[in-house]
């Protein structure tokens, strides 16, 4: 079994880097919802997996800003091929789920699976069906930092929790020094940035803290930030910008937003601290378990991993759609777009943009589910 798992992880990693030829894609300009990143995105030129069928018109969607760079790259290939305009706002997971359950959009992106009350709400707009979670985008939640003179910062879960709960306030704190004995840590105030709006990234980040160091993180968790103090910013792009522009800052955001920003290596209990990367996130996500029922494919991630080379702070972004009862005018475009992004070509785009492809056995189930949407 260990040999099989090793081979499976190696195959996943190779799949993540074996990408087709790419072209530069400039990300959409920043807006108030923080839905774009300054680094932009790249997209594969292959359109072999795009089957338009009866897709047409405009497709409205909203939600996770974590996957905004991936959506931009996918749209670059899909829209010209199918003559369908994809309007994905990226206002955050909470906003996306709300818009979906109110029937305002064809699908939502969320870094957290639907809660029971959200499933109930979805039944009002899914005629004869309900909202389901389709895992489509994986990746690490990086801790980006801006500390002059410190290039290889190492932190562990207790220290991270204390920093974001305003218990550790200076970069030369003894607890940080212990983890970084050779670093020249400055006498500099810590500015911890968090999301200002409901966010699945926040939900997953705090799930990591709750799972690994509950004694140092006394909050219940969820999409809304609960700790006191710190600096709030909108969207992953806003948090990344706050870190980049403020000396002494640290914040959490997806790796695709960490352009020109140093990232923390996490001491997990493995032989060496683990940096966020496509490969290290894939190693963790490969151990995820499907806990959804029926056509729902919600996953349970392993935040407490001590596996060598596995990064513990990961998330999966779900595309949320009705299993039955999708609006007739948008269903063809929805299925065509989801079919493409779940395809082998679509998943290859992820590694080009700092994301991790969904493991083969899970994405195969996603593809089957998409074909049965009605």
């Amino acid at each position: 079994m260990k040999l099989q798992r090793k081979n499976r992880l190696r195959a996943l990693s190779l799949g993540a880097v074996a990408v087709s030829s790419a072209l530069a894609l400039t990300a959409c300009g920043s807006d108030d919802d923080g839905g774009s990143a300054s680094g932009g995105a790249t997209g594969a030129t292959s359109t072999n997996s795009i089957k338009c069928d009866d897709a047409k018109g405009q497709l409205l969607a909203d939600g996770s800003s974590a996957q905004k760079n991936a959506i931009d790259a996918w749209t670059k290939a899909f829209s010209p091929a199918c003559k369908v305009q994809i309007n994905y706002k990226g206002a955050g997971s909470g906003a996306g789920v709300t818009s979906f359950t109110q029937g305002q959009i064809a699908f939502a992106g969320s870094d957290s699976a639907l809660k029971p009350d959200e499933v109930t709400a979805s039944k009002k707009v899914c005629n004869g069906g309900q909202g389901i979670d389709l895992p489509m985008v994986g990746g690490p939640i990086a801790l980006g930092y801006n500390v002059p003179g410190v290039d290889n910062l190492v932190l562990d879960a207790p220290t991270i929790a204390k920093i974001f709960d305003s218990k550790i306030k200076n970069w030369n704190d003894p607890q940080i020094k212990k983890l970084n004995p050779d670093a020249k840590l400055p006498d500099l105030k810590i500015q911890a940035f968090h999301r200002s709006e409901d966010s699945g990234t926040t939900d997953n980040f705090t799930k990591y803290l709750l799972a690994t160091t509950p004694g140092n993180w006394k909050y219940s968790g969820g999409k809304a930030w609960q700790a006191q103090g710190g600096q709030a910013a909108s969207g992953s792009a806003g948090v990344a910008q706050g870190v980049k522009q403020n000396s002494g800052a640290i914040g959490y955001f997806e790796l695709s937003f960490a352009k020109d920003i140093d990232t923390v290596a996490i001491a997990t209990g493995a032989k060496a601290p683990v940096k966020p990367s496509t490969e290290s996130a894939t190693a963790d996500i490969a151990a995820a378990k499907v806990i959804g029922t029926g056509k729902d494919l919600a996953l349970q991630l392993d935040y407490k991993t001590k596996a060598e080379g596995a990064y513990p702070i990961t998330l999966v972004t779900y595309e949320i759609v009705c299993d039955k009862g999708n609006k007739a005018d948008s269903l063809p475009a929805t299925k065509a777009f989801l079919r493409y992004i779940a395809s082998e070509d679509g998943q290859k785009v992820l590694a080009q943009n700092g994301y991790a492809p969904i493991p083969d056995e899970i994405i195969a189930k996603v593809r089957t589910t998409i074909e049965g949407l009605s």
Side-chain angles (χ1 to χ4, degrees), residues 208-228:
Y208 161 74
L209 296 176
L210 282 164
T212 55
T213 184
N216 293 299
W217 195 256
K218 300 294 187 178
Y219 306 97
S220 61
K223 294 178 183 177
W225 184 256
Q226 297 171 325
Q228 300 300 309

Side-chain angles (χ1 to χ4, degrees), residues 27-74:
C28 298
S30 298
D31 53 31
D32 291 341
D33 63 37
S36 63
S38 58
T42 58
T45 57
S46 174
T47 58
N48 293 338
S49 297
I50 299 179
K51 298 179 181 179
C52 302
D53 294 337
D54 297 322
K56 60 182 179 180
Q58 182 177 220
L59 197 59
L60 300 179
D62 194 5
S64 166
S65 68
Q67 69 169 358
K68 184 61 165 63
N69 289 335
I71 292 287
D72 286 344
W74 284 326

Side-chain angles (χ1 to χ4, degrees), residues 88 93 106 116 152 159 162-163 169 230 234 237 249 283 287 302:
Y88 183 83
S93 298
N152 296 293
T159 308
K162 292 173 185 177
I163 287 172
K169 300 182 179 181
S234 176
D302 184 8

Side-chain angles (χ1 to χ4, degrees), residues 170-188:
N170 239 50
W171 281 110
N172 63 351
D173 185 280
Q175 295 176 72
I176 301 178
K177 283 185 176 181
K178 185 177 180 180
L179 292 164
N180 300 271
D182 298 325
K184 295 181 179 179
L185 296 166
D187 182 7
L188 179 66

